[in-house]
Amino acid sequence: MLRVLAVDDEKPLLEELLYLLRSDPRVRSAEGASDATEALRRVTRALESGPDGADAIDVVFLDIHMAGLTGLDIARLLAGFARPPLIVFVTAHEGFAVQAFDLKAVDYVLKPVRPERLAEAVRRACAQLGRSEEGPAGMPTGDASAGGPAVPAPRRPVAEVTVADRASDQIAVELGGVTRFVAIADISYVEAQGDYARLHTDEGSHLVRIPVSTLEERWAARGFVRIHRRHLVALARIDELRLEAGTTSVRVGTAELQVSRRHARELRDLLMRHATG
């Protein structure tokens, strides 16, 4: 069972997060800190007490935007310890996901926090620590028939949820705790951002936790082609192919994207076949 510290400088949100954590039978204890100073003091005390000490902390559920040090700052400081607690970021901002996972975060939960999404973050923390998925008295989590508190069945990890197609022509994305479905036909190009991919449409962009290489394999039959290690483009969305001073680029809407040398010849051939076919 997990010993948890939740950190958020907005008291109502901190209280709600603590309520949800304490309702999960996999969580032995959940304490709160309302600022970075208090959080660092508690974690330092926990590390001094050792993994079996009374003040031990297994996981820190950490907001990002706070007065003074941000959650990312705290995570960087904790990373300097020999055996730091696991980090789960809980934030209203999707734009820090790449930085968060660069800091080895276990999960990245968007606000408003949904109970089933938080349950998945707890499951991931348990798995990484090698802890049992059972609650008190060996009761499996979410087993309401056993008379204990029911926890919603954990969803699949974010990496799977965000790329699992509801239908063959859609992809699910999360924004602010809300799942919406984007038509693959509406995606102009995909931009690599570490282990993430940013899907660009005419209306905006969406970050999903899946490598571009995986989307390249899945969407090849849909006319998506790799033009650079950073970009995957829908062939039908290319408006112009430009050859200047030995470099190749394409215009996709208002975006101009560089084409690497190793992909340039293949792209020209594909565009020619597309134009004549």
Side-chain angles (χ1 to χ4, degrees), residues 61 88-92 107-111 113-114 117-118 121:
F61 285 76
V88 173
F89 285 102
V90 183
T91 178
D107 209 344
Y108 191 90
V109 180
L110 291 173
K111 297 177 181 177
V113 177
R114 291 174 290 158
R117 184 65 186 84
L118 191 64

Side-chain angles (χ1 to χ4, degrees), residues 82-233:
R83 297 183 62 183
L86 300 181
I87 299 293
V88 173
F89 285 102
V90 183
T91 178
H93 305 276
E94 70 165 2
F96 298 99
V98 174
Q99 295 177 61
F101 284 99
D102 282 344
L103 290 167
K104 310 302 182 187
V106 173
D107 209 344
Y108 191 90
V109 180
L110 291 173
K111 297 177 181 177
V113 177
R114 291 174 290 158
E116 67 272 20
R117 184 65 186 84
L118 191 64
E120 169 58 23
V122 171
R123 185 201 67 77
R124 292 179 128 196
C126 286
Q128 188 153 331
L129 289 168
R131 301 289 172 84
S132 171
E133 283 289 300
E134 295 183 346
M139 182 199 312
T141 59
D143 188 357
S145 64
V151 175
R155 297 191 316 163
R156 290 169 291 170
V158 178
E160 296 178 64
V161 173
T162 53
V163 299
D165 293 346
R166 180 178 63 173
S168 60
D169 60 349
Q170 293 178 315
I171 183 171
V173 298
E174 279 196 10
L175 179 61
V178 176
T179 300
R180 60 171 296 194
F181 293 90
V182 175
I184 295 173
D186 291 340
I187 298 170
S188 301
Y189 67 97
V190 182
E191 180 183 4
Q193 294 188 350
D195 290 335
Y196 284 73
R198 184 167 293 279
L199 313 177
H200 291 266
T201 70
D202 292 340
E203 297 179 353
S205 67
H206 308 278
L207 192 68
V208 294
R209 191 180 174 195
I210 181 172
V212 166
S213 57
T214 301
L215 292 178
E216 180 183 9
E217 293 177 7
R218 293 185 179 185
W219 293 354
R222 296 178 175 276
F224 280 82
V225 295
R226 192 72 172 260
I227 64 167
H228 191 275
R229 63 184 177 82
R230 289 195 59 196
H231 293 117
L232 180 68
V233 176

Side-chain angles (χ1 to χ4, degrees), residues 38-49 57 78 81:
E38 183 182 359
L40 289 172
R41 183 167 56 246
R42 291 197 179 203
V43 172
T44 300
R45 188 167 66 237
L47 293 172
E48 289 174 348
S49 73
I57 296 171
L78 296 183
F81 290 97

